[in-house]
Amino acid sequence: MKGGRPTFRFAPSPTGELHLGHALSALTGWKWAQRLEGRFLLRIEDIDTGRARQHFVDQISDDLRWLGMSWEQPVRQQSQHFEIYRTAAARLQGMGLLYPCFATRSELKAATAQLPDHPSDPDCAPLYPKLHKQLSSEEIAARKAAGQPFALRLDMDRALDAAHVISGDDSTAITYTALDESGTAQLVEACPERWGDAVIVRKDVPASYHLAVVVDDAEQGVTHVTRGQDLEAATDLHRLLQILLGLHPPVYHHHRLILDTDGRKFSKSDGAVTLRSLRESGMSREDVLRLIGEL
Ligand code: GLU
């Protein structure tokens, strides 16, 4: 904990404008930081360089200021820190926990289409069918020499074994601490295996969301991760990565989600509810707080 103070962060991806769900997320971290006299950070999660846009970064800052928030400078932009993610991935690779996967989207789709009742991960993507798990070193070398792009995937079975050895206890459970609305702590059992052999390093950039987020939370001394319940399952994988990388775990609070009138989570494509459009329609900050049940 830097300076002994609780540290919170809001970590949006600048691939669209903020909506009401983001407002609740940002305000939750901000409110708790105020309550605990902690630090509040803004982190721009822009590893998806093909989709991230600077004007969304600017819009995010405008919207958050309008909501009454301020944050420490400098703001971390993940695209400036690829080296640190490379180092973390190399560490996992050195432990024998990553393997290259050259499969294209259509190859993966075709492979899982042939498997009836094939399970999905928490993001509703079919679990990796382990297509390239057993490639020989000769084949890997040949594909690399031919310039085939590849992702690095976590060997989940090995990773779980390694985590238990590192944790040094007999219990097989991987746990994390979660806080409820009132701030009461609870030990939650994580189930990282539901992600299967997840992508840790993407084909196009030297990280994945999961790797970058755990590295940065540790690097920035984040002690409290407040984010929506839609990311609750991701915490299971994040906790595993923290154990493998020897990173101090934050505590987690997964807040309620703001749903649209059809009971669905707001998405970025739902332009009508962006904070910008609400502001432009004449709504005040208080109106927005009322809309998200925070006033
Ligand atoms: N960048 C992620 C998003 O915009 C949130 C990451 C996090 O809070 O851990 O959904």
Side-chain angles (χ1 to χ4, degrees):
M1 206 184 295
K2 196 168 163 183
R5 290 170 67 200
T7 300
F8 293 77
R9 57 36 164 208
F10 175 55
S13 305
T15 53
E17 294 186 9
L18 298 187
H19 52 62
L20 290 175
H22 292 114
L24 178 63
S25 225
L27 280 164
T28 302
W30 165 257
K31 217 172 52 183
W32 284 42
Q34 301 298 296
R35 202 187 296 154
L36 300 179
E37 296 182 17
R39 303 165 63 217
F40 183 72
L41 313 176
L42 171 64
R43 181 169 76 227
I44 300 297
E45 301 213 324
D46 59 349
I47 63 163
D48 194 345
T49 47
R51 289 172 62 226
R53 297 285 176 272
Q54 184 58 41
H55 69 268
F56 290 135
V57 176
D58 300 338
Q59 184 71 46
I60 286 168
S61 299
D62 276 3
D63 286 341
L64 296 179
R65 269 190 224 103
W66 181 78
L67 282 169
M69 290 181 226
S70 56
W71 48 91
E72 289 185 10
Q73 298 293 335
V75 169
R76 187 176 180 90
Q77 287 206 206
Q78 290 188 322
S79 59
Q80 307 298 310
H81 296 276
F82 282 149
E83 211 39 56
I84 193 171
Y85 312 136
R86 272 195 196 97
T87 305
R91 179 160 172 184
L92 296 174
Q93 212 161 7
M95 295 163 78
L97 302 179
L98 302 185
Y99 64 91
C101 170
F102 300 83
T104 60
R105 259 175 223 271
S106 49
E107 282 171 333
L108 287 174
K109 211 170 155 190
T112 50
Q114 289 166 5
L115 304 168
D117 305 322
H118 186 69
S120 295
D121 72 17
D123 281 345
C124 301
L127 275 194
Y128 180 60
K130 304 193 177 173
L131 215 53
H132 285 177
K133 193 163 186 172
Q134 308 297 346
L135 289 185
S136 66
S137 45
E138 290 77 22
E139 187 162 356
I140 291 172
R143 284 175 180 264
K144 284 185 178 171
Q148 279 190 25
F150 60 91
L152 290 174
R153 288 184 176 270
L154 187 67
D155 183 326
M156 182 56 77
D157 294 335
R158 282 189 183 206
L160 290 171
D161 287 347
H164 293 132
V165 171
I166 294 167
S167 305
D169 59 28
D170 291 339
S171 126
T172 52
I174 292 177
T175 56
Y176 66 87
T177 302
L179 305 179
D180 67 14
E181 293 287 333
S182 68
T184 307
Q186 246 190 342
L187 206 59
V188 177
E189 192 165 326
C191 181
E193 52 271 42
R194 58 181 157 161
W195 289 95
D197 287 3
V199 171
I200 298 301
V201 176
R202 291 167 34 153
K203 280 184 180 174
D204 55 342
V205 286
S208 64
Y209 156 65
H210 299 298
L211 182 66
V213 86
V214 298
V215 168
D216 278 356
D217 283 338
E219 185 69 16
Q220 296 189 282
V222 171
T223 58
H224 293 68
V225 170
T226 50
R227 59 187 179 195
Q229 284 164 355
D230 52 333
L231 288 171
E232 193 162 4
T235 302
D236 292 4
L237 181 54
H238 297 177
R239 187 64 201 108
L240 173 62
L241 292 175
Q242 287 155 359
I243 294 172
L244 297 172
L245 292 167
L247 304 175
H248 189 73
V251 299
Y252 289 86
H253 170 66
H254 299 109
H255 61 73
R256 68 188 164 86
L257 298 179
I258 308 273
L259 303 177
D260 67 13
T261 42
D262 297 328
R264 286 182 313 225
K265 178 170 89 83
F266 277 132
S267 80
K268 283 185 178 165
S269 53
D270 196 353
V273 291
T274 66
L275 295 180
R276 186 174 60 87
S277 65
L278 294 172
R279 286 164 63 178
E280 284 175 3
S281 73
M283 275 201 179
S284 67
R285 173 180 182 272
E286 286 66 32
D287 293 331
V288 167
L289 294 187
R290 226 170 274 121
L291 264 183
I292 60 175
E294 287 291 292
L295 202 67

